[in-house]
């Protein structure tokens, strides 16, 4: 089994380079040949620790990263397989993880994934049965099972994070979820793409502040006018290319040779800045035809890396009114982040709804409340066919439909999202924190709505309970409870929070300082 990426990541003298490759929509032909050619050249070059293969990027079908990764693996190049939660339920995901283990490919980048795109006959059904934190936990549990069956080599799974969010709420949500991913077992972090050195440094500082020691790789991309335009328009969820940068790239490419040279130089300089800031490596994207460009970037990096401080000012493309958690002083002790200092006021309707629902919930759905044993006895009495039906149809469903647009999942998760429903309000049904696709507080999928986690932060901030987003983690929804009474399921200890659920026990542990 190849473990080049893992061992390079923990070799302090090595600055790790990974290379993201995007398989095309065909099983053979030019696109596949190009990817295989780049991988072969990367292996021959020796400076790339692993190639990472995307998983149906943009939600659109492409050749499986598992099969392409396996071919690349067989030429001796280590591979990181992107593994999203979009296209399979937990059964399919577990089966896929076993398949990858069987093929010896255990480097995984665990992602929620972009929303569903267009496949055969139209848009695909979005699955999102697990979220990326729950996927990390699943891989950790699977590693234990593999070890018990005689395979001592665990999955080596990492995660993504975006420091490039515009609002305070989104920044907090990203870092809170990062904390959960790390505690769930993530071994490395790869950033989203952005061109703001202060934000890149913010991630390093926040990791230190939270006590997170996993290695981080910063994303570097070979920008041309087409890719810069797509990212600038928001069509690649999570990436940030400002108007000013887009205009600059367009200008550089008025002569294509000069444009290519400028793109290589920008990538090398950003790599130098990332190395100087304390990143353990870089994750290079935007390479579609030949490996040569990667070689040029790495040659140039070797020449200029010691001058990194002089390049920092070139990566100064902030977002309008963008939030920064720390002052911009390299090498200084960061102090506490600025969360909560100038937070915009929360709408009064949100404050009232949160107050009503949190007080009600604390009184009626809390095993430790003095009335808890009484509610348990009442639930035991009502837990008959007729009792369940009457409670659900006459009381629970109408009340929750009115207040929460309830989808009757039977395994209520509102308490984890500041009393917003992750089933009806988040198209990816995420219970553990924001995906990377929000933009200026708006949802990736429905930009006319605020992201559920943006709203959750605002509610929790005014209630001084933002730490709730960092505590523990949330087990997966239990589909066997679908369309049943979540109230009875809670009091009868059948739901995801039950003390007999091993994932709930695991999720109880720990929190980060934030
Ligand atoms: S509501 Fe937020 S977490 Fe859910 S899909 Fe939209 S942007 Fe992502």
């Amino acid at each position: 089994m190849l473990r080049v990426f893992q061992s390079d990541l923990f070799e302090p003298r090595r600055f790790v380079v990974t290379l993201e490759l995007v398989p095309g929509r065909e099983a053979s032909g030019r696109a596949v040949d190009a990817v295989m050619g780049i991988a072969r050249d990367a292996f021959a070059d020796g400076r790339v620790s692993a190639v990472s293969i995307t998983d149906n990027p943009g939600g659109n079908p492409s050749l499986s990263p598992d099969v392409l990764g396996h071919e690349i693996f067989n030429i001796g190049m280590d591979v990181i397989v992107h593994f999203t939660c979009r296209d399979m339920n937990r059964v399919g995901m577990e089966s896929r993880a076993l398949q990858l283990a069987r093929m010896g490919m255990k480097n995984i980048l665990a992602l929620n994934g972009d929303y569903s795109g267009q496949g055969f006959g139209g848009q695909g059904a979005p699955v999102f049965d697990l979220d990326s934190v729950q996927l990390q936990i699943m891989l950790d549990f699977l590693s234990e099972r593999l070890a018990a069956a005689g395979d001592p080599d665990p999955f080596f799974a990492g995660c993504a994070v975006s420091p490039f969010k515009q609002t305070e709420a989104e920044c907090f949500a990203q870092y809170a979820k990062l904390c959960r991913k790390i505690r769930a077992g993530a071994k490395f972090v790869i950033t989203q793409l952005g061109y703001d050195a202060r934000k890149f440094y913010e991630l390093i500082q926040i990791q230190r502040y939270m006590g997170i020691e996993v290695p981080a790789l910063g994303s570097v991309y070979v920008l041309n006018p087409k890719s810069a335009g797509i990212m600038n328009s928001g069509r690649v969820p999570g990436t940030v290319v400002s108007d000013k940068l887009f205009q600059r790239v367009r200008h550089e490419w008025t002569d294509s040779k000069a444009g290519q040279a400028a793109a290589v130089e920008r990538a090398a300089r950003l790599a130098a800045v990332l190395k100087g800031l304390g990143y353990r490596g870089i994750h290079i994207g935007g390479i579609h035809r030949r490996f040569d460009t990667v070689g040029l970037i790495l040659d140039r990096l070797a020449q200029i890396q010691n001058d990194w401080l002089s390049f920092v000012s070139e990566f100064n493309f902030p977002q309008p009114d963008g939030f920064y958690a720390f002052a911009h002083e390299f090498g200084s002790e960061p102090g506490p982040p600025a969360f909560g200092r100038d937070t915009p006021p929360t709408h009064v309707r949100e404050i009232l709804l949160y107050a009503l629902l949190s007080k009600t919930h604390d009184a009626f759905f809390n095993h430790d409340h003095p009335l808890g044993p009484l509610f348990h006895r009442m639930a035991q009495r009502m837990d008959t066919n007729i009792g369940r039906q009457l409670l659900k149809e006459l009381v629970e469903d109408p009340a929750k439909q009115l207040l929460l647009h309830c989808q009757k999942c039977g395994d209520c998760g509102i308490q984890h999202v500041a009393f917003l429903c992750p089933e009806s309000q988040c198209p990816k049904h995420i219970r553990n924190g924001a995906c990377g696709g929000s933009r200026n507080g708006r949802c990736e999928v429905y930009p006319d709505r605020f992201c559920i986690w943006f709203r959750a932060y605002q509610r929790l901030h005014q209630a001084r309970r933002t730490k709730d987003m960092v505590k523990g983690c949330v087990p997966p929804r239990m589909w066997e409870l679908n369309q049943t009474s979540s109230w009875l399921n809670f009091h009868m200890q059948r739901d995801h929070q039950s003390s007999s659920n091993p994932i709930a026990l695991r999720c109880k542990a720990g929190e980060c300082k934030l």
Side-chain angles (χ1 to χ4, degrees), residues 9 24 27 49 76 98 105 150 159 176 195 223 233 235-236 281 304 330-331 362 383 395 420 427 434 445 455 512:
L9 215 45
S49 298
L98 292 174
M105 297 200 297
C159 64
Y195 289 86
L223 275 183
S233 67
R235 279 179 284 158
V236 182
I304 62 172
F330 299 123
D362 285 352
D383 198 25
V395 189
L420 292 156
V445 186
R455 291 178 62 196
C512 295

Side-chain angles (χ1 to χ4, degrees), residues 272-331:
V273 169
L274 292 169
K275 189 171 182 187
L277 291 177
Y279 279 78
R280 280 293 297 116
I282 49 171
H283 183 69
I284 302 178
I287 305 294
H288 303 294
R289 295 210 181 103
R290 292 190 312 273
F291 178 76
D292 309 9
T293 310
V294 178
L296 292 174
I297 294 169
L298 298 180
D299 291 346
R300 186 72 183 131
L301 170 62
Q303 290 166 357
I304 62 172
Q305 54 190 350
N306 293 333
D307 301 325
W308 69 274
L309 263 173
S310 63
F311 305 131
V312 167
S313 59
E314 295 174 20
F315 299 98
N316 180 21
F317 295 99
Q319 300 183 69
D321 299 321
F323 172 81
Y324 290 93
F326 299 105
H328 189 208
E329 288 162 26
F330 299 123

Side-chain angles (χ1 to χ4, degrees), residues 112 115 128 170 177 422 425-430 433-439 441-446 449-454:
N112 283 304
Y115 200 64
F128 298 107
E170 291 165 283
K177 191 171 182 195
Q425 306 291 296
C426 172
K428 297 184 188 174
H429 313 303
I430 304 175
C435 76
S438 66
R439 204 169 151 88
R442 303 279 171 169
C443 174
E444 170 194 324
V445 186
Y446 301 116
R449 295 184 198 165
F450 282 107
C451 166
I452 189 175
W453 292 96
F454 176 91

Side-chain angles (χ1 to χ4, degrees), residues 95-112:
S95 166
R96 181 180 172 197
L98 292 174
Q99 171 185 286
L100 288 169
R102 181 76 189 163
M103 293 193 290
M105 297 200 297
K106 292 183 179 163
N107 299 325
I108 306 273
L109 183 61
L111 305 161
N112 283 304

